[in-house]
Amino acid sequence: MTTPLTLTDQRRPDGTPVLVAEGEIDMSNVGEFRAAVDRAAGVAGADGGGRLVVDLTAVDYLDSAGLAALFAHADRLELIAPPLLDPVLTVSGLADLATVRIA
């Protein structure tokens, strides 16, 4: 059974791609999440700016499979996350490699 996850592509006024995730990210839906992150990263690279924003403020759970999808783009990633995910992002080391804003 796949865990509910909604992914929405947006853009900031400056053209930076934003991927908004809502729900839980785990091994049951990580393929969809990884594809969305890869697609948004491709858009970011094609636009020349290279930055990718992933908004996780509506994510209630993020497991190691979801973290791995984010690590693949950590060098140009800006994460917006709820306080609930702060320990996961910190302990995993992702907060040391990517820009993380706790909202």
Side-chain angles (χ1 to χ4, degrees):
M1 182 173 177
T2 303
T3 304
L5 176 64
T6 302
L7 300 166
T8 307
D9 293 310
Q10 299 178 354
R11 283 196 181 260
R12 286 187 171 169
D14 67 359
T16 302
V18 178
L19 176 64
V20 179
E22 297 178 50
E24 297 183 5
I25 303 169
D26 62 22
M27 61 187 269
S28 74
N29 58 24
V30 74
E32 179 184 359
F33 180 65
R34 179 177 289 115
V37 171
D38 290 347
R39 182 178 59 251
V43 170
D47 288 351
R51 296 295 297 164
L52 167 61
V53 177
V54 178
D55 184 339
L56 301 173
T57 55
V59 171
D60 301 319
Y61 179 78
L62 176 68
D63 76 0
S64 60
L67 285 169
L70 294 170
F71 265 105
H73 303 285
D75 59 331
R76 59 190 194 170
L77 196 60
E78 178 183 337
L79 297 172
I80 305 168
L84 175 72
L85 296 184
D86 188 26
V88 173
L89 299 173
T90 301
V91 169
S92 70
L94 188 56
D96 295 331
L97 301 174
T99 300
V100 176
R101 290 189 305 126
I102 303 301

Coordinates of all heavy atoms in Angstrom, one line a residue:
M1 N 0.8 -1.2 0.0 CA 0.0 0.0 0.0 C 0.9 1.2 0.0 O 1.8 1.4 0.8 CB -0.9 0.0 1.2 CG -1.8 1.1 1.3 SD -2.9 0.7 2.8 CE -3.8 2.1 2.8
T2 N 0.6 2.2 -0.9 CA 1.4 3.4 -1.0 C 0.9 4.5 0.0 O -0.3 4.7 0.1 CB 1.3 4.0 -2.4 OG1 1.8 3.0 -3.3 CG2 2.1 5.2 -2.6
T3 N 1.8 5.1 0.7 CA 1.5 6.1 1.6 C 1.1 7.4 0.9 O 1.8 7.7 -0.1 CB 2.7 6.4 2.5 OG1 3.1 5.2 3.2 CG2 2.4 7.5 3.6
P4 N 0.1 8.1 1.3 CA -0.4 9.3 0.6 C 0.7 10.4 0.5 O 1.3 10.7 1.5 CB -1.6 9.8 1.4 CG -2.1 8.6 2.1 CD -0.8 7.8 2.4
L5 N 1.0 10.9 -0.7 CA 1.9 11.9 -0.9 C 1.5 12.8 -2.1 O 1.1 12.2 -3.1 CB 3.3 11.4 -1.2 CG 4.4 12.4 -1.5 CD1 4.7 13.3 -0.4 CD2 5.7 11.7 -2.0
T6 N 1.4 14.1 -1.9 CA 1.0 15.0 -3.0 C 2.3 15.9 -3.3 O 2.9 16.4 -2.4 CB -0.1 15.9 -2.5 OG1 -1.2 15.1 -2.1 CG2 -0.5 16.9 -3.6
L7 N 2.6 16.0 -4.5 CA 3.8 16.7 -5.0 C 3.3 17.8 -6.0 O 2.6 17.5 -6.9 CB 4.8 15.8 -5.7 CG 5.3 14.7 -4.7 CD1 6.1 13.7 -5.5 CD2 6.3 15.3 -3.7
T8 N 3.7 19.0 -5.8 CA 3.3 20.1 -6.6 C 4.5 20.9 -7.1 O 5.3 21.3 -6.2 CB 2.3 21.1 -5.9 OG1 1.2 20.3 -5.3 CG2 1.7 22.1 -6.8
D9 N 4.6 21.2 -8.4 CA 5.7 22.0 -8.9 C 5.2 23.4 -8.9 O 4.1 23.7 -9.4 CB 6.1 21.5 -10.3 CG 6.7 20.2 -10.3 OD1 7.6 20.0 -9.5 OD2 6.3 19.3 -11.1
Q10 N 6.1 24.3 -8.4 CA 5.8 25.8 -8.5 C 7.1 26.5 -8.9 O 8.1 25.9 -9.1 CB 5.4 26.3 -7.1 CG 4.1 25.6 -6.6 CD 3.7 26.1 -5.2 OE1 4.4 26.8 -4.5 NE2 2.6 25.7 -4.7
R11 N 7.0 27.8 -9.0 CA 8.2 28.6 -9.2 C 8.1 29.9 -8.4 O 7.0 30.4 -8.2 CB 8.2 29.1 -10.7 CG 8.7 28.0 -11.6 CD 9.1 28.5 -12.9 NE 9.6 27.5 -13.8 CZ 10.8 27.2 -14.0 NH1 11.8 27.9 -13.5 NH2 11.2 26.2 -14.8
R12 N 9.2 30.3 -7.9 CA 9.3 31.6 -7.2 C 9.3 32.7 -8.3 O 9.5 32.4 -9.5 CB 10.6 31.7 -6.4 CG 10.6 30.9 -5.2 CD 11.8 31.1 -4.4 NE 11.7 30.5 -3.1 CZ 12.7 30.3 -2.2 NH1 13.9 30.8 -2.5 NH2 12.5 29.8 -1.1
P13 N 9.0 33.9 -7.9 CA 9.0 35.0 -8.9 C 10.3 35.2 -9.7 O 10.3 35.6 -10.8 CB 8.7 36.3 -8.0 CG 8.0 35.8 -6.9 CD 8.6 34.4 -6.6
D14 N 11.4 34.8 -9.1 CA 12.7 34.8 -9.8 C 13.0 33.6 -10.7 O 14.0 33.5 -11.3 CB 13.9 35.0 -8.8 CG 14.1 33.8 -7.9 OD1 13.3 32.8 -8.0 OD2 15.0 33.8 -7.1
G15 N 12.0 32.7 -10.8 CA 12.1 31.6 -11.6 C 12.6 30.3 -11.0 O 12.7 29.2 -11.6
T16 N 13.1 30.4 -9.7 CA 13.6 29.2 -9.0 C 12.5 28.2 -8.9 O 11.4 28.5 -8.4 CB 14.1 29.6 -7.6 OG1 15.1 30.6 -7.8 CG2 14.7 28.4 -6.9
P17 N 12.8 26.9 -9.3 CA 11.8 25.9 -9.1 C 11.6 25.5 -7.6 O 12.5 25.5 -6.9 CB 12.3 24.7 -9.9 CG 13.8 25.0 -10.1 CD 14.0 26.4 -9.9
V18 N 10.3 25.3 -7.3 CA 9.9 24.9 -5.9 C 9.1 23.6 -6.0 O 8.1 23.5 -6.8 CB 9.1 26.0 -5.2 CG1 8.7 25.5 -3.8 CG2 9.9 27.3 -5.2
L19 N 9.5 22.6 -5.3 CA 8.7 21.3 -5.2 C 8.1 21.3 -3.8 O 8.8 21.4 -2.8 CB 9.6 20.1 -5.4 CG 8.9 18.8 -5.2 CD1 7.9 18.6 -6.3 CD2 10.0 17.6 -5.3
V20 N 6.8 21.3 -3.8 CA 6.0 21.3 -2.5 C 5.5 19.8 -2.3 O 4.9 19.3 -3.2 CB 4.9 22.3 -2.6 CG1 4.1 22.2 -1.2 CG2 5.3 23.7 -2.8
A21 N 5.9 19.3 -1.1 CA 5.5 17.9 -0.8 C 4.5 18.0 0.4 O 4.7 18.8 1.3 CB 6.7 17.1 -0.4
E22 N 3.5 17.2 0.4 CA 2.5 17.1 1.4 C 2.2 15.6 1.7 O 1.9 14.9 0.8 CB 1.2 17.8 1.1 CG 1.3 19.2 0.8 CD 0.0 19.8 0.4 OE1 -1.0 19.6 1.1 OE2 -0.1 20.5 -0.6
G23 N 2.3 15.2 3.0 CA 2.0 13.9 3.4 C 3.2 13.2 4.0 O 3.9 13.9 4.8
E24 N 3.5 12.0 3.7 CA 4.6 11.2 4.2 C 5.5 10.7 3.1 O 5.0 10.3 2.1 CB 4.1 10.1 5.1 CG 3.3 10.5 6.3 CD 2.9 9.3 7.2 OE1 3.3 8.2 6.9 OE2 2.2 9.6 8.1
I25 N 6.8 10.7 3.3 CA 7.7 10.3 2.3 C 8.4 9.0 2.9 O 9.2 9.1 3.9 CB 8.7 11.3 1.9 CG1 8.0 12.6 1.4 CG2 9.7 10.8 0.8 CD1 8.9 13.8 1.2
D26 N 8.2 7.9 2.3 CA 8.8 6.6 2.7 C 9.0 5.7 1.5 O 8.9 6.1 0.4 CB 7.9 6.0 3.8 CG 6.5 5.6 3.3 OD1 6.3 5.4 2.0 OD2 5.6 5.4 4.1
M27 N 9.5 4.5 1.8 CA 9.9 3.6 0.7 C 8.7 3.3 -0.2 O 8.9 2.9 -1.3 CB 10.6 2.4 1.2 CG 9.8 1.5 2.2 SD 10.7 0.2 2.9 CE 10.5 -1.1 1.7
S28 N 7.5 3.4 0.2 CA 6.4 3.1 -0.6 C 6.1 4.1 -1.7 O 5.5 3.8 -2.7 CB 5.1 2.9 0.2 OG 4.6 4.2 0.6
N29 N 6.6 5.3 -1.5 CA 6.3 6.4 -2.5 C 7.6 7.1 -2.9 O 7.5 8.1 -3.6 CB 5.3 7.3 -2.1 CG 5.6 8.0 -0.8 OD1 6.8 8.2 -0.4 ND2 4.6 8.5 0.0
V30 N 8.8 6.6 -2.5 CA 10.0 7.4 -2.8 C 10.3 7.4 -4.2 O 10.9 8.4 -4.7 CB 11.2 6.8 -2.0 CG1 11.7 5.5 -2.5 CG2 12.3 7.8 -1.9
G31 N 9.9 6.5 -5.0 CA 10.1 6.5 -6.5 C 9.5 7.8 -7.1 O 10.1 8.5 -7.9
E32 N 8.3 8.0 -6.7 CA 7.5 9.2 -7.2 C 8.2 10.5 -6.7 O 8.4 11.5 -7.4 CB 6.1 9.2 -6.7 CG 5.2 10.4 -7.0 CD 3.8 10.3 -6.4 OE1 3.5 9.4 -5.7 OE2 3.1 11.3 -6.7
F33 N 8.7 10.5 -5.4 CA 9.3 11.7 -4.8 C 10.7 11.9 -5.5 O 11.0 13.0 -5.9 CB 9.5 11.5 -3.3 CG 10.2 12.6 -2.6 CD1 9.6 13.9 -2.6 CD2 11.5 12.4 -2.1 CE1 10.3 14.9 -2.0 CE2 12.1 13.5 -1.4 CZ 11.5 14.7 -1.4
R34 N 11.4 10.8 -5.7 CA 12.8 11.0 -6.3 C 12.6 11.5 -7.8 O 13.3 12.4 -8.2 CB 13.5 9.6 -6.4 CG 14.8 9.7 -7.1 CD 15.6 8.4 -7.0 NE 16.1 8.2 -5.7 CZ 15.7 7.2 -4.9 NH1 14.8 6.3 -5.3 NH2 16.2 7.0 -3.7
A35 N 11.6 11.0 -8.5 CA 11.4 11.5 -9.9 C 11.0 13.0 -9.9 O 11.5 13.7 -10.7 CB 10.3 10.6 -10.5
A36 N 10.2 13.4 -8.9 CA 9.8 14.8 -8.9 C 11.0 15.7 -8.5 O 11.2 16.8 -9.1 CB 8.7 15.0 -7.8
V37 N 11.9 15.2 -7.6 CA 13.1 16.0 -7.2 C 14.0 16.1 -8.4 O 14.6 17.1 -8.7 CB 13.8 15.4 -5.9 CG1 15.1 16.0 -5.7 CG2 12.9 15.5 -4.7
D38 N 14.3 14.9 -9.0 CA 15.2 14.9 -10.2 C 14.6 15.8 -11.3 O 15.4 16.5 -11.9 CB 15.3 13.5 -10.7 CG 16.1 12.6 -9.8 OD1 16.7 13.1 -8.8 OD2 16.0 11.3 -10.0
R39 N 13.3 15.8 -11.5 CA 12.7 16.6 -12.6 C 12.9 18.1 -12.2 O 13.3 18.9 -13.1 CB 11.3 16.3 -12.7 CG 10.5 17.1 -13.8 CD 9.1 16.7 -14.0 NE 8.3 16.8 -12.8 CZ 7.9 15.8 -12.0 NH1 8.1 14.6 -12.3 NH2 7.2 16.1 -10.9
A40 N 12.6 18.5 -11.0 CA 12.8 19.9 -10.6 C 14.3 20.3 -10.6 O 14.6 21.4 -11.0 CB 12.2 20.0 -9.2
A41 N 15.2 19.4 -10.3 CA 16.6 19.7 -10.3 C 17.0 19.9 -11.8 O 17.8 20.8 -12.1 CB 17.4 18.6 -9.7
G42 N 16.5 19.1 -12.7 CA 16.7 19.3 -14.1 C 16.3 20.7 -14.6 O 17.0 21.4 -15.4
V43 N 15.1 21.1 -14.2 CA 14.6 22.4 -14.5 C 15.5 23.5 -13.9 O 15.9 24.5 -14.6 CB 13.2 22.6 -14.0 CG1 12.7 24.1 -14.1 CG2 12.2 21.7 -14.7
A44 N 16.0 23.3 -12.7 CA 16.9 24.3 -12.0 C 18.2 24.4 -12.8 O 18.7 25.5 -13.0 CB 17.1 23.9 -10.6
G45 N 18.7 23.3 -13.2 CA 19.9 23.3 -14.0 C 19.8 23.9 -15.4 O 20.6 24.6 -15.8
A46 N 18.7 23.6 -16.0 CA 18.4 24.2 -17.4 C 18.2 25.7 -17.3 O 18.6 26.4 -18.3 CB 17.2 23.5 -18.0
D47 N 17.7 26.2 -16.2 CA 17.5 27.6 -16.1 C 18.8 28.4 -15.8 O 18.8 29.6 -15.7 CB 16.4 27.9 -15.1 CG 15.0 27.6 -15.6 OD1 14.9 27.2 -16.8 OD2 14.1 27.6 -14.8
G48 N 19.8 27.7 -15.5 CA 21.1 28.3 -15.2 C 21.4 28.7 -13.8 O 22.5 28.8 -13.4
G49 N 20.3 28.9 -13.0 CA 20.5 29.2 -11.6 C 21.0 28.1 -10.7 O 21.8 28.2 -9.8
G50 N 20.5 26.9 -11.0 CA 20.9 25.7 -10.3 C 20.3 25.5 -9.0 O 20.3 24.4 -8.5
R51 N 19.6 26.5 -8.3 CA 19.0 26.2 -7.0 C 17.7 25.5 -7.2 O 16.9 25.8 -8.1 CB 18.8 27.6 -6.3 CG 20.0 28.3 -6.0 CD 21.0 27.7 -5.0 NE 20.3 27.5 -3.7 CZ 20.8 26.7 -2.8 NH1 21.9 26.0 -3.0 NH2 20.2 26.5 -1.6
L52 N 17.4 24.7 -6.2 CA 16.1 24.0 -6.1 C 15.6 24.1 -4.7 O 16.4 23.8 -3.8 CB 16.3 22.5 -6.5 CG 15.2 21.5 -6.2 CD1 13.9 21.9 -6.9 CD2 15.6 20.1 -6.4
V53 N 14.4 24.5 -4.6 CA 13.7 24.6 -3.3 C 12.8 23.4 -3.1 O 12.0 23.2 -4.0 CB 13.0 25.9 -3.1 CG1 12.2 26.0 -1.8 CG2 13.9 27.1 -3.3
V54 N 12.9 22.7 -2.0 CA 11.9 21.7 -1.7 C 11.2 22.1 -0.4 O 11.9 22.2 0.6 CB 12.6 20.3 -1.6 CG1 11.6 19.2 -1.2 CG2 13.3 19.9 -2.9
D55 N 9.9 22.3 -0.5 CA 9.1 22.7 0.7 C 8.5 21.5 1.3 O 7.7 20.8 0.7 CB 8.0 23.7 0.2 CG 7.2 24.2 1.3 OD1 7.2 23.6 2.4 OD2 6.6 25.3 1.1
L56 N 9.0 21.2 2.5 CA 8.6 20.0 3.3 C 7.7 20.4 4.4 O 7.5 19.6 5.3 CB 9.8 19.2 3.7 CG 10.8 18.7 2.7 CD1 12.0 18.1 3.4 CD2 10.1 17.7 1.8
T57 N 7.2 21.6 4.5 CA 6.5 22.1 5.7 C 5.2 21.3 6.0 O 4.8 21.2 7.1 CB 6.1 23.6 5.6 OG1 5.4 23.8 4.4 CG2 7.4 24.4 5.6
A58 N 4.7 20.6 5.0 CA 3.5 19.8 5.2 C 3.8 18.3 5.2 O 2.9 17.5 5.0 CB 2.4 20.1 4.1
V59 N 5.1 17.9 5.4 CA 5.5 16.5 5.5 C 5.5 16.1 6.9 O 6.2 16.8 7.7 CB 6.8 16.3 4.8 CG1 7.4 14.9 5.0 CG2 6.7 16.6 3.3
D60 N 4.9 15.0 7.2 CA 4.8 14.5 8.6 C 5.8 13.5 8.9 O 6.1 13.2 10.1 CB 3.4 13.9 8.9 CG 2.3 14.9 8.6 OD1 2.4 16.1 9.0 OD2 1.2 14.5 8.0
Y61 N 6.4 12.9 7.9 CA 7.3 11.8 8.1 C 8.3 11.7 6.9 O 7.8 11.8 5.7 CB 6.6 10.4 8.2 CG 7.5 9.3 8.4 CD1 8.1 9.0 9.6 CD2 7.7 8.4 7.3 CE1 8.9 7.9 9.8 CE2 8.5 7.3 7.5 CZ 9.1 7.0 8.7 OH 9.9 5.9 8.9
L62 N 9.6 11.5 7.1 CA 10.6 11.4 6.1 C 11.6 10.3 6.5 O 12.2 10.5 7.5 CB 11.3 12.8 5.9 CG 12.5 12.9 5.0 CD1 12.0 12.7 3.5 CD2 13.2 14.2 5.1
D63 N 11.6 9.2 5.7 CA 12.5 8.1 6.1 C 13.8 8.2 5.3 O 14.0 9.2 4.6 CB 11.8 6.8 6.0 CG 11.6 6.3 4.6 OD1 12.1 7.0 3.6 OD2 11.1 5.2 4.4
S64 N 14.6 7.2 5.5 CA 16.0 7.2 4.9 C 15.9 7.2 3.4 O 16.8 7.8 2.7 CB 16.8 6.1 5.4 OG 16.2 4.8 5.1
A65 N 14.9 6.6 2.8 CA 14.8 6.6 1.3 C 14.5 8.0 0.8 O 15.1 8.4 -0.2 CB 13.6 5.6 0.9
G66 N 13.7 8.7 1.5 CA 13.4 10.1 1.1 C 14.6 11.0 1.3 O 14.9 11.9 0.5
L67 N 15.4 10.8 2.4 CA 16.6 11.5 2.6 C 17.6 11.2 1.5 O 18.3 12.2 1.0 CB 17.3 11.1 3.9 CG 16.6 11.7 5.2 CD1 17.2 11.0 6.4 CD2 16.8 13.2 5.3
A68 N 17.7 10.0 1.0 CA 18.6 9.6 -0.1 C 18.3 10.4 -1.3 O 19.2 10.9 -2.1 CB 18.6 8.1 -0.3
A69 N 17.0 10.6 -1.6 CA 16.6 11.3 -2.8 C 17.0 12.8 -2.7 O 17.4 13.4 -3.7 CB 15.1 11.2 -3.0
L70 N 17.0 13.3 -1.5 CA 17.5 14.7 -1.3 C 19.0 14.8 -1.3 O 19.5 15.8 -1.8 CB 16.9 15.2 0.0 CG 15.4 15.4 0.1 CD1 14.9 15.6 1.5 CD2 14.9 16.4 -0.9
F71 N 19.7 13.9 -0.7 CA 21.2 13.9 -0.7 C 21.7 14.0 -2.1 O 22.8 14.6 -2.3 CB 21.7 12.7 0.0 CG 22.0 12.9 1.4 CD1 21.2 12.3 2.4 CD2 23.2 13.6 1.8 CE1 21.5 12.5 3.7 CE2 23.4 13.8 3.2 CZ 22.6 13.2 4.1
A72 N 21.0 13.4 -3.1 CA 21.5 13.4 -4.5 C 21.7 14.8 -5.0 O 22.5 15.0 -6.0 CB 20.6 12.6 -5.4
H73 N 21.0 15.8 -4.5 CA 21.0 17.2 -5.0 C 21.4 18.2 -3.8 O 21.1 19.4 -4.0 CB 19.6 17.5 -5.5 CG 19.2 16.6 -6.6 ND1 19.8 16.7 -7.9 CD2 18.3 15.6 -6.7 CE1 19.2 15.7 -8.7 NE2 18.4 15.1 -7.9
A74 N 22.0 17.7 -2.8 CA 22.2 18.5 -1.6 C 23.0 19.8 -1.9 O 22.8 20.8 -1.2 CB 23.0 17.7 -0.5
D75 N 24.0 19.7 -2.8 CA 24.8 20.9 -3.1 C 24.1 22.1 -3.6 O 24.6 23.2 -3.5 CB 26.0 20.5 -4.0 CG 25.5 20.0 -5.4 OD1 24.4 19.4 -5.4 OD2 26.2 20.1 -6.4
R76 N 22.9 21.9 -4.1 CA 22.1 23.0 -4.6 C 20.7 23.1 -4.1 O 19.8 23.7 -4.7 CB 22.1 23.0 -6.2 CG 21.5 21.8 -6.8 CD 21.8 21.8 -8.2 NE 21.0 20.8 -8.9 CZ 20.9 20.7 -10.2 NH1 21.5 21.6 -10.9 NH2 20.1 19.8 -10.7
L77 N 20.5 22.5 -3.0 CA 19.2 22.3 -2.4 C 18.9 23.3 -1.3 O 19.8 23.6 -0.4 CB 19.1 20.9 -1.8 CG 17.7 20.3 -1.5 CD1 16.9 20.3 -2.7 CD2 17.9 18.9 -1.0
E78 N 17.7 23.9 -1.3 CA 17.2 24.7 -0.2 C 16.0 24.0 0.3 O 15.0 23.8 -0.4 CB 16.9 26.1 -0.6 CG 16.3 26.9 0.5 CD 15.8 28.3 0.1 OE1 16.4 28.8 -1.0 OE2 15.0 28.9 0.7
L79 N 16.0 23.5 1.6 CA 14.9 22.8 2.2 C 14.2 23.8 3.1 O 14.8 24.4 3.9 CB 15.4 21.6 2.9 CG 16.0 20.5 2.1 CD1 16.6 19.5 3.1 CD2 15.1 19.9 1.2
I80 N 12.9 23.8 3.0 CA 12.0 24.5 4.0 C 11.3 23.3 4.7 O 10.5 22.6 4.1 CB 11.0 25.4 3.3 CG1 11.8 26.4 2.4 CG2 10.2 26.2 4.3 CD1 10.9 27.2 1.5
A81 N 11.5 23.2 6.0 CA 11.0 22.1 6.8 C 10.4 22.5 8.1 O 10.7 23.5 8.6 CB 12.2 21.1 7.1
P82 N 9.4 21.6 8.5 CA 8.8 21.9 9.8 C 9.8 21.5 11.0 O 10.7 20.7 10.7 CB 7.6 21.0 9.8 CG 8.0 19.9 9.0 CD 8.9 20.4 7.9
P83 N 9.6 22.0 12.2 CA 10.4 21.7 13.3 C 10.5 20.1 13.5 O 11.5 19.6 14.0 CB 9.8 22.4 14.5 CG 9.0 23.5 13.9 CD 8.6 23.0 12.5
L84 N 9.4 19.4 13.2 CA 9.4 18.0 13.4 C 10.5 17.3 12.6 O 11.1 16.3 13.1 CB 8.0 17.4 12.9 CG 7.8 15.9 12.8 CD1 7.7 15.4 14.2 CD2 6.6 15.6 12.0
L85 N 10.9 17.8 11.4 CA 12.0 17.2 10.6 C 13.4 17.7 10.9 O 14.3 17.1 10.4 CB 11.7 17.4 9.1 CG 10.4 16.8 8.6 CD1 10.3 17.0 7.1 CD2 10.3 15.3 8.9
D86 N 13.5 18.7 11.7 CA 14.8 19.3 12.0 C 15.8 18.2 12.5 O 16.9 18.1 12.0 CB 14.7 20.5 13.0 CG 16.0 21.2 13.2 OD1 16.8 21.2 12.3 OD2 16.1 21.8 14.3
P87 N 15.4 17.4 13.5 CA 16.4 16.4 14.0 C 16.8 15.4 12.9 O 18.0 15.0 12.9 CB 15.6 15.7 15.1 CG 14.5 16.6 15.5 CD 14.2 17.4 14.3
V88 N 15.9 15.0 12.1 CA 16.2 14.0 11.0 C 17.2 14.6 10.0 O 18.2 14.0 9.6 CB 14.9 13.6 10.3 CG1 15.2 12.8 9.1 CG2 14.0 12.9 11.2
L89 N 17.0 15.9 9.7 CA 17.9 16.6 8.7 C 19.2 16.8 9.3 O 20.3 16.7 8.6 CB 17.2 17.9 8.2 CG 15.9 17.7 7.5 CD1 15.3 19.1 7.2 CD2 16.1 17.0 6.2
T90 N 19.3 17.1 10.6 CA 20.5 17.4 11.3 C 21.3 16.1 11.5 O 22.5 16.0 11.2 CB 20.3 18.1 12.7 OG1 19.6 19.3 12.4 CG2 21.6 18.4 13.4
V91 N 20.7 15.1 12.1 CA 21.4 13.8 12.4 C 21.9 13.1 11.1 O 23.0 12.5 11.1 CB 20.5 12.9 13.2 CG1 21.1 11.5 13.4 CG2 20.3 13.5 14.6
S92 N 21.1 13.2 10.1 CA 21.5 12.6 8.8 C 22.7 13.3 8.2 O 23.4 12.7 7.3 CB 20.4 12.6 7.8 OG 20.1 13.9 7.4
G93 N 23.0 14.5 8.5 CA 24.0 15.3 7.9 C 23.6 16.2 6.8 O 24.4 16.9 6.2
L94 N 22.3 16.0 6.4 CA 21.8 16.8 5.2 C 21.9 18.3 5.5 O 22.1 19.1 4.6 CB 20.4 16.3 4.8 CG 19.8 16.9 3.5 CD1 20.8 16.6 2.3 CD2 18.5 16.3 3.3
A95 N 21.6 18.6 6.8 CA 21.6 20.1 7.1 C 23.0 20.7 7.0 O 23.1 21.9 6.8 CB 21.1 20.2 8.6
D96 N 24.0 19.9 7.0 CA 25.4 20.4 6.8 C 25.7 20.6 5.3 O 26.6 21.4 5.0 CB 26.4 19.4 7.4 CG 26.3 19.3 8.9 OD1 25.9 20.3 9.5 OD2 26.7 18.2 9.4
L97 N 25.0 19.9 4.4 CA 25.3 20.0 3.0 C 24.3 20.9 2.2 O 24.7 21.4 1.2 CB 25.2 18.6 2.4 CG 26.2 17.6 3.0 CD1 25.9 16.2 2.4 CD2 27.6 18.0 2.8
A98 N 23.1 21.0 2.7 CA 22.1 21.8 2.0 C 21.7 23.0 2.9 O 22.0 23.0 4.1 CB 20.9 21.0 1.8
T99 N 21.1 24.0 2.3 CA 20.5 25.1 3.0 C 19.2 24.6 3.6 O 18.3 24.1 2.9 CB 20.3 26.3 2.1 OG1 21.5 26.7 1.6 CG2 19.7 27.5 2.9
V100 N 19.0 24.8 4.9 CA 17.8 24.3 5.6 C 17.2 25.5 6.4 O 17.9 26.1 7.2 CB 18.1 23.1 6.6 CG1 16.8 22.7 7.3 CG2 18.6 21.9 5.8
R101 N 15.9 25.7 6.1 CA 15.2 26.8 6.8 C 14.0 26.0 7.6 O 13.3 25.3 6.9 CB 14.6 27.8 5.9 CG 15.7 28.7 5.3 CD 15.1 29.9 4.6 NE 14.2 29.6 3.5 CZ 12.9 30.0 3.4 NH1 12.5 30.9 4.3 NH2 12.2 29.7 2.4
I102 N 14.0 26.2 8.9 CA 12.9 25.6 9.6 C 11.8 26.6 9.8 O 12.0 27.7 10.2 CB 13.4 25.2 11.0 CG1 14.6 24.2 10.9 CG2 12.3 24.6 11.9 CD1 14.3 22.9 10.2
A103 N 10.6 26.2 9.3 CA 9.5 27.1 9.3 C 8.4 26.7 10.3 O 8.2 25.6 10.5 CB 8.9 27.1 7.9

